[in-house]
Amino acid sequence: MPPFTTLTGVAAPMPLVNIDTDMIIPKQFLKTIQRSGLGKNLFDEMRYDRQGNEIADFVLNQPAYRQAEILVAGDNFGCGSSREHAPWALLDFGIRCVISTSFADIFHGNCFKNGILPITLPQAQVDVLMDEARKGANARITVDLAAQTVSTSDGTVFTFDIDPFRKHCLLNGLDDIGLTLEKAAAIDAFEARARLAQPWA
Amino acid sequence: MSTQGTPKTLYDKIWDAHVVHQDADGTCLIYIDRHLVHEVTSPQAFEGLRMTGRRVRAPEKTVAVPDHNVPTDARRAERIDDEMSRIQVETLRQNAREFGVELYDVDDVRQGIVHIVGPEQGWTLPGLTIVCGDSHTATHGAFGALAHGIGTSEVEHVLATQTLIQKKSKNMLVRVEGELPPGVTAKDITLTIIGRTGTAGGTGHVIEYAGSAIRGLSMEGRMTVCNMAIEGGARAGLIAPDEKTFAYVMGRPHAPKGAAWEAAMAYWQTLKSDEGAQYDKVVEIDAAEIAPVVTWGTSPEDVLPITGTVPRPEDFEGAKREAAARALDYMGLTPGQRLADVEIDTVFIGSCTNGRIEDLREVARIMEGRRVKEGLRAMIVPGSGLVRLQAEQEGIADKLRAAGFDWRMAGCSMCLGMNPDQLAPGERCASTSNRNFEGRQGYKGRTHLMSPAMAAAAAITGRLTDVRELV
């Protein structure tokens, strides 16, 4: 997993609430057996017409946001299906950070497995960042994970909360499975106990 | 043990029984008892194992079944026309073989939607932790199992370690007391709850469903309720197991037998929230106030009684107003229009929400002496091969075919339209599935969620219909 330390980039405004993972990556793209290559189909049905032409007024098709690395989104981002293809598509497009007032649980967890930082902030602060994002390519947002801050180009700084373990893994690009296998003895012991106490389980 | 100290919720008890390791900051390693695997969210996970030289730690606790993109026509065992779907199903087959995991293949009568197969085969038991790379894993909570969806990285993590790294969620109680009015079903309960709490209402929580109306439901109904916990934002829903649960589980192929059954029963009977257990959030609903409902918009929280009218964007505040305007445009509806006047093109009966035998019996009951309206496409996709077989043995299949339904093979089908069963742009569907998102059932397709009884009523009249007018 790529580490996440700091990021300065263009933020795309997507104020719509309840952006679900079907919107982020529609089902016809879930038939792949790989993780890569999904960026071109990110937000496919909002981004292209039936003939595959770009829909000009969709945010990521506008010149200012084609290189966006941050999304500022409406409440409950990533709800619906558990498909990890959603963060894969975001990452493949180049989005490394999503800012919203809330995230659906499964999507939130999936982000951390892929080096994407989901930042939860209060509505008033998301509103400020949304306005900032609307200014386009001139208004770059800076995210500093170690300091837990989001800064606008005019110097406004917000701090955010993050689970310390997840922060540690993200900063260092750590592989969860490797960490867990260090606890193999504890898993063995659990299984040995369970075999006696609950042989049906 | 459970009666000492602080009273615990059912969730607390199952969680505590599965902690393998706890870090100082509260991050836990949780043991996973059952892992259900399907073709869409597992290929990258198995590939990850292969690349790192890891094996499946507990293949005997893992079961695989293709469901999401399998076609539902009779010739699918011979061939799947869509090349990418075929490759995914074939990849699952190879991975199951290579890693020693049991597979219910497309030609196996036990094949079906993973969340219907798990309970049917007795993989799903009270008190277990169950995961699957699918958000509707919440379904298994109906048995008092802690069950939730995971992403593909976590699928790989469970395959390799039989554990998950997690922090404990909060406790939420949804209590539904009283008697359900006639024509009101489990689906109406679960949609009404989501309409009340919103799709983010359960975020960060595990929901326990309780109260006399929940206890009064069959196991099938309880699965319908828990299935949509995720649409309410909660990763997992739970219902305390009782005699109905034990009766359902007994004798299933993977359920414990003999002395193990007795021991399991003794444990399962402790699986209920203690008197005085604390919840972070409580929602109370009077069963008598629940009506047959349908969704009008593109979020499962857009729920109204069938007697209602299409709302105006101005009825909502803040960002939801904009979302409502967008939804009305997408759905092709006009504010003030009576929901019962909305005409449909398609009826879909099936999915992990409502593809069980009781759902099909209910549809057959409503259809008695009636027919699908001329010109409608009406399909029934049983949730598993065994549900399909049982419906055939009970004579339901013949009746439904005679009434004009297309009787399909088992799978997820039009719930998410990954297989050929899809809506065309602008087509409107009365659907017993769980999501009405934009494009969910097909590009620009329009979905109205409802109960099987309501979908049957819509099939008869060709419009959204109050089933109470027909019974």
Side-chain angles (χ1 to χ4, degrees):
Chain A
M1 184 176 84
F4 187 110
T5 51
T6 61
L7 172 66
T8 298
V10 173
M14 291 192 77
L16 191 63
V17 295
N18 297 330
I19 292 176
D20 57 70
T21 53
D22 274 80
M23 278 183 187
I24 297 171
I25 185 81
K27 71 252 177 177
Q28 60 269 35
F29 306 109
L30 309 188
K31 294 179 183 176
T32 176
I33 54 172
Q34 299 176 322
R35 291 170 196 250
S36 56
L38 290 165
K40 63 180 182 295
N41 303 111
L42 175 70
F43 294 114
D44 193 85
E45 291 179 2
M46 302 165 95
R47 199 163 143 205
Y48 306 105
D49 66 18
R50 234 7 198 169
Q51 287 69 47
N53 306 305
E54 287 187 1
I55 297 169
D57 66 354
F58 179 67
V59 63
L60 297 180
N61 289 334
Q62 296 169 20
Y65 300 111
R66 299 184 82 92
Q67 308 296 324
E69 293 174 87
I70 299 168
L71 282 186
V72 184
D75 192 50
N76 198 29
F77 188 86
C79 60
S81 159
S82 63
R83 59 189 68 169
E84 198 162 318
H85 308 67
W88 294 340
L90 287 165
L91 191 66
D92 196 55
F93 179 89
I95 304 285
R96 293 291 310 275
C97 174
V98 186
I99 301 171
S100 178
T101 44
S102 80
F103 294 88
D105 288 336
I106 300 177
F107 174 82
H108 190 255
N110 285 341
C111 282
F112 286 102
K113 312 291 184 198
N114 291 282
I116 298 176
L117 173 61
I119 297 178
T120 307
L121 289 173
Q123 185 71 57
Q125 296 181 4
V126 172
D127 289 347
V128 169
L129 296 173
M130 192 73 76
D131 286 342
E132 189 69 11
R134 287 193 176 105
K135 293 178 187 166
N138 293 327
R140 294 159 81 84
I141 287 177
T142 297
V143 177
D144 184 335
L145 176 56
Q148 296 179 216
T149 57
V150 182
S151 324
T152 64
S153 51
D154 66 4
T156 307
V157 180
F158 300 124
T159 59
F160 60 88
D161 284 332
I162 182 169
D163 178 80
F165 174 73
R166 284 178 154 162
K167 177 181 174 179
H168 173 70
C169 291
L170 212 48
L171 279 172
N172 298 290
L174 295 180
D175 163 27
D176 275 357
I177 297 177
L179 290 175
T180 296
L181 287 175
E182 291 171 9
K183 300 185 177 110
I187 304 173
D188 290 340
F190 182 96
E191 284 183 335
R193 282 197 307 277
R195 252 193 301 276
L196 291 175
Q198 300 187 1
W200 65 86
Chain B
M1 48 187 176
S2 61
T3 50
Q4 288 168 8
T6 318
K8 287 181 176 183
T9 64
L10 174 55
Y11 171 51
D12 297 337
K13 291 182 185 182
I14 303 176
W15 174 272
D16 289 349
H18 288 85
V19 176
V20 173
H21 177 87
Q22 181 160 357
D23 283 333
D25 74 346
T27 303
C28 289
L29 200 59
I30 293 296
Y31 195 79
I32 301 303
D33 296 312
R34 298 285 183 274
H35 189 187
L36 314 174
V37 176
H38 66 84
E39 78 278 24
V40 176
T41 58
S42 69
Q44 296 87 350
F46 282 111
E47 183 61 16
L49 294 186
R50 225 174 265 123
M51 283 162 55
T52 48
R54 290 168 179 148
R55 62 186 180 88
V56 174
R57 183 181 172 96
E60 73 283 5
K61 297 178 180 184
T62 312
V63 62
V65 59
D67 58 1
H68 277 60
N69 64 30
V70 294
T72 57
D73 63 323
R75 50 191 276 280
R76 66 179 186 182
E78 295 140 47
R79 57 172 301 165
I80 296 175
D81 291 328
D82 182 279
E83 181 68 2
M84 293 188 78
S85 296
R86 190 186 60 72
I87 289 171
Q88 260 189 351
V89 172
E90 178 56 32
T91 302
L92 182 70
R93 197 173 285 144
Q94 285 172 0
N95 285 331
R97 200 181 304 133
E98 181 180 337
F99 290 94
V101 169
E102 185 169 357
L103 172 78
Y104 303 132
D105 213 335
V106 285
D107 58 353
D108 189 321
V109 73
R110 297 170 297 178
Q111 180 272 345
I113 307 172
V114 64
H115 308 308
I116 292 186
V117 170
E120 235 170 40
Q121 295 301 320
W123 290 100
T124 305
L125 301 173
L128 300 185
T129 48
I130 303 176
V131 296
C132 173
D134 186 277
S135 60
H136 290 109
T137 310
T139 312
H140 309 267
F143 292 80
L146 180 58
H148 61 81
I150 54 178
T152 298
S153 294
E154 290 186 317
V155 170
E156 185 179 341
H157 193 281
V158 175
L159 289 172
T161 70
Q162 207 58 30
T163 64
L164 273 182
I165 300 172
Q166 283 197 325
K167 275 212 167 148
K168 200 175 169 202
S169 301
K170 292 178 180 164
N171 279 289
M172 176 167 170
L173 176 67
V174 176
R175 192 186 288 122
V176 190
E177 292 286 358
E179 202 165 323
L180 291 175
V184 175
T185 67
K187 185 65 166 289
D188 301 297
I189 296 178
T190 204
L191 283 171
T192 297
I193 293 168
I194 298 159
R196 184 85 63 88
T197 61
T199 52
T203 300
H205 294 76
V206 166
I207 298 177
E208 180 177 346
Y209 299 96
S212 58
I214 299 293
R215 284 195 302 277
L217 294 173
S218 65
M219 287 314 295
E220 284 84 353
R222 293 178 190 184
M223 284 188 256
T224 300
V225 170
C226 287
N227 172 274
M228 291 190 72
I230 184 66
E231 274 68 44
R235 287 181 89 160
L238 278 173
I239 295 173
D242 61 9
E243 294 306 320
K244 282 184 196 172
T245 320
F246 309 143
Y248 181 101
V249 169
M250 194 161 78
R252 302 266 164 192
H254 290 273
K257 314 268 183 314
W261 172 264
E262 297 304 324
M265 278 288 285
Y267 174 61
W268 293 345
Q269 279 162 349
T270 69
L271 293 174
K272 52 187 164 224
S273 292
D274 295 329
E275 194 76 34
Q278 294 297 307
Y279 295 87
D280 302 281
K281 201 168 183 177
V282 177
V283 175
E284 309 258 6
I285 289 179
D286 180 356
E289 288 176 5
I290 303 176
V293 293
V294 296
T295 61
W296 56 268
T298 55
S299 168
E301 70 191 21
D302 298 338
V303 174
L304 281 173
I306 179 63
T307 50
T309 56
V310 175
R312 302 170 307 163
E314 307 87 78
D315 297 337
F316 302 92
E317 287 177 4
K320 184 68 190 170
R321 183 173 296 181
E322 203 178 317
R326 181 186 169 96
L328 291 179
D329 179 55
Y330 182 87
M331 293 296 290
L333 297 174
T334 314
Q337 184 180 5
R338 276 167 26 99
L339 286 167
D341 289 338
V342 175
E343 293 189 356
I344 54 150
D345 310 290
T346 302
V347 177
F348 171 66
I349 289 165
S351 84
C352 57
T353 317
N354 284 122
R356 285 170 283 269
I357 189 67
E358 185 178 90
D359 301 313
L360 305 189
R361 287 182 190 139
E362 179 74 351
V363 172
R365 190 178 69 85
I366 304 294
M367 294 307 297
E368 194 71 54
R370 301 186 174 104
R371 284 192 55 80
V372 171
K373 190 173 187 227
E374 196 67 31
L376 282 191
R377 169 166 63 148
M379 58 194 297
I380 297 183
V381 181
S384 72
L386 287 171
V387 168
R388 188 174 194 274
L389 182 65
Q390 187 175 355
E392 285 176 346
Q393 287 167 346
E394 291 183 12
I396 291 172
D398 283 341
K399 282 187 191 166
L400 292 171
R401 268 197 218 99
F405 280 100
D406 186 7
W407 179 250
R408 313 288 295 184
M409 304 291 282
C412 299
S413 178
M414 200 189 271
C415 174
L416 83 167
M418 275 195 77
N419 74 348
D421 308 337
Q422 295 181 23
L423 295 181
E427 270 187 337
R428 190 181 295 281
C429 181
S431 180
T432 66
S433 56
N434 42 55
R435 286 185 179 138
N436 51 355
F437 297 155
E438 290 181 17
R440 175 78 179 179
Q441 295 191 291
Y443 181 73
K444 299 285 183 198
R446 294 162 171 167
T447 303
H448 295 274
L449 303 176
M450 63 195 74
S451 72
M454 287 286 286
I460 294 162
T461 64
R463 56 181 171 78
L464 303 184
T465 298
D466 190 338
V467 66
R468 294 171 297 191
E469 292 168 8
L470 296 177
V471 289

